[in-house]
Amino acid sequence: MNSLKEILINKKICKSVWFMRQAGRYLPEFREIRSQNQDFVNLCLNSELSSKITLQPIERFNLDSAIIFSDILLVPYALNQKVEFLKNHGPKLETFNLEIFLKNDDLKFTEKLKPVYKAIEITRKKLNKEKSLISFIGAPWTLLVYMIGAKQNKNEVDLNIINKKKDEISLVLEKLINYLCLHIENQVRAGADVVQIFDSWAGLIPQEDLNNFCYTPNSKIVEFCRKKGIPVICFPKGIKKKYKDFISLVKPDGINIDYNIDPMWAKENLKDTVIQGGLDPKVLLLPDEQIYSNARKYLDAFKGLPYVFNLGHGMLPETNPDKVDRLIKFYREY
Ligand code: CP3
């Protein structure tokens, strides 16, 4: 069994490292492919290239796990909502249309995402058996924020839109959960061993809505994974001390802490789950000694516990790959 699964399933204490957004713009070999593929969605749907990009950081750094190169927004794309990635603008989605959304069905959804599953098959064949292949989904709330155009800027969502349409939103969330479970099942059938759920905008949910928009949808998906025997890691970014409630309510196999969570607090408060990540990706922009001392804070805190080394959010595009290489060496020698 590979190290990530050993840690998640058997709570074995062993070394395992991978990074969120390990395949991406900080790698010159990715930028090379990207420069010849202007349309990001099409790039994600090119199974051969997607597999090649997935393996780039494995070849360069010999990481313990690969995460399939895709995007959380391929789910709205597969649900017939046009998705574009504009240069320096982030994602742009066509205006949400409930009627179109409700006309979707499982078969058509799976058909549109076949290239992703094919990329997983190709990658699993090429990837060393000792290494895990991680699949992922965006959590229902995080997808909804993009789908209904509620995302205003980096740190805000338009709660007016949300409050005006609460019934419609409950319906959309419910349907999304089903499609997301199907997407997980399809990815695992194609060869993925673990799934990570990215709830990147969980921190923007008002306290009184956390149950409806965060804990319950994540729970339903985690419950589905448990029934199917799929190890699952959750990442409810930005919910601060509510990470504790999240763990007791959702009970995932693993939890990725974000860079605002104090590792000592996490050790005391997030029991009965495997902790992953935490290191601020901005730390990788500092001189080496500061990178090591920051990494040491996490490694010291989780000594003697099952812990997966990773970041507290995705790798920044301005990261120097040589620093990533040295951080991995530091971790392996620690
Ligand atoms: O982690 C990996 O290496 C696997 C691939 C992966 C991508 N996106 C590729 C990507 C994963 C796991 C994601 C998840 C994702 N996508 C999230 C959740 C994680 C997080 O960062 O909070 C979110 C919110 C998205 C939506 C998204 N996709 C945004 C906001 C953007 C544009 C802005 C940005 O940060 O780049 C993307 C584009 C995207 N997805 C890129 C990559 C490598 C950059 C594309 C480019 O070359 O322009």
Side-chain angles (χ1 to χ4, degrees):
M1 199 186 278
N2 59 58
S3 66
L4 184 60
K5 269 191 166 174
E6 284 279 18
I7 298 178
L8 291 172
I9 298 172
N10 299 328
K11 308 287 178 268
K12 192 173 152 186
I13 299 167
C14 58
K15 294 225 157 151
S16 194
V17 53
W18 69 278
F19 298 119
M20 292 188 280
R21 290 278 175 100
Q22 63 190 23
R25 286 172 293 184
Y26 76 108
L27 290 179
E29 56 271 36
F30 170 76
R31 289 200 301 270
E32 166 84 41
I33 295 180
R34 180 75 170 102
S35 69
Q36 293 152 16
N37 293 271
Q38 296 299 319
D39 186 323
F40 185 73
V41 173
N42 278 343
L43 178 58
C44 291
L45 294 171
N46 181 326
S47 310
E48 289 292 342
L49 281 182
S50 156
S51 172
K52 192 170 172 184
I53 294 169
T54 302
L55 293 168
Q56 283 177 341
I58 311 301
E59 279 152 17
R60 191 189 259 261
F61 307 119
N62 190 26
L63 290 151
D64 297 309
S65 302
I67 178 163
I68 193 69
F69 178 78
S70 173
D71 199 89
I72 61 166
L73 298 177
L74 287 196
V75 164
Y77 154 83
L79 295 171
N80 282 311
Q81 187 173 5
K82 202 170 165 220
V83 177
E84 281 177 295
F85 289 83
L86 305 175
K87 236 188 182 131
N88 307 321
H89 247 280
K92 191 174 182 312
L93 278 70
E94 174 188 19
T95 306
F96 181 74
N97 180 319
L98 185 63
E99 228 173 290
I100 294 177
F101 177 79
L102 293 174
K103 275 195 194 131
N104 287 294
D105 65 55
D106 286 8
L107 271 176
K108 283 187 228 150
F109 175 80
T110 296
E111 189 58 37
K112 284 197 91 170
L113 292 174
K114 277 237 167 92
V116 176
Y117 311 136
K118 180 86 191 149
I120 292 175
E121 273 173 38
I122 299 169
T123 309
R124 188 62 276 182
K125 278 191 199 126
K126 291 187 179 165
L127 188 67
N128 184 319
K129 278 194 212 53
E130 311 291 298
K131 299 190 190 291
S132 221
L133 180 53
I134 303 163
S135 57
F136 63 88
I137 58 161
W141 160 259
T142 289
L143 291 182
L144 181 92
V145 164
Y146 286 106
M147 289 168 70
I148 64 173
K151 184 95 193 314
Q152 294 189 308
N153 54 45
K154 217 169 164 10
N155 301 309
E156 272 175 293
V157 289
D158 184 350
L159 294 172
N160 283 329
I161 303 188
I162 310 275
N163 288 326
K164 259 192 252 159
K165 301 190 181 176
K166 279 219 157 139
D167 290 342
E168 180 176 327
I169 283 169
S170 305
L171 174 67
V172 175
L173 285 176
E174 217 37 63
K175 298 259 171 207
L176 267 179
I177 290 170
N178 294 332
Y179 287 115
L180 290 168
C181 288
L182 178 60
H183 190 34
I184 290 174
E185 199 173 13
N186 289 337
Q187 293 186 85
V188 169
R189 196 172 289 147
D193 329 85
V194 170
V195 61
Q196 176 146 330
I197 307 176
F198 288 92
D199 212 347
S200 307
W201 304 116
L204 304 179
I205 302 173
Q207 296 289 315
E208 65 271 22
D209 290 324
L210 271 170
N211 249 322
N212 282 342
F213 294 159
C214 180
Y215 306 147
T216 304
N218 277 286
S219 278
K220 286 185 178 166
I221 298 171
V222 167
E223 185 55 34
F224 173 85
C225 292
R226 199 184 340 278
K227 278 196 198 126
K228 300 271 171 185
I230 304 165
V232 54
I233 304 167
C234 285
F235 183 32
K237 183 175 175 283
I239 61 169
K240 305 195 176 94
K241 299 232 149 108
K242 298 284 180 187
Y243 258 96
K244 191 174 175 175
D245 292 344
F246 186 96
I247 288 302
S248 55
L249 293 165
V250 180
K251 303 185 187 70
D253 301 293
I255 187 92
N256 199 114
I257 53 172
D258 66 50
Y259 49 80
N260 284 319
I261 299 289
D262 174 40
M264 291 311 287
W265 179 87
K267 179 185 166 151
E268 291 308 314
N269 291 282
L270 309 181
K271 301 217 163 123
D272 303 316
T273 186
V274 171
I275 294 176
Q276 170 176 284
L279 184 68
D280 192 334
K282 286 196 275 310
V283 161
L284 273 161
L285 309 178
L286 301 174
D288 288 4
E289 274 316 313
Q290 290 180 53
I291 299 177
Y292 304 148
S293 65
N294 276 284
R296 212 177 275 123
K297 273 192 244 163
Y298 291 87
L299 300 176
D300 286 347
F302 301 119
K303 208 182 238 170
L305 291 170
Y307 173 64
V308 181
F309 191 52
N310 201 322
L311 304 173
H313 198 192
M315 191 83 76
L316 297 166
E318 56 270 38
T319 309
N320 175 351
D322 295 336
K323 288 197 182 274
V324 177
D325 198 31
R326 292 197 289 273
L327 173 62
I328 296 167
K329 291 211 168 78
F330 170 82
Y331 169 68
R332 294 214 162 114
E333 283 163 17
Y334 174 87

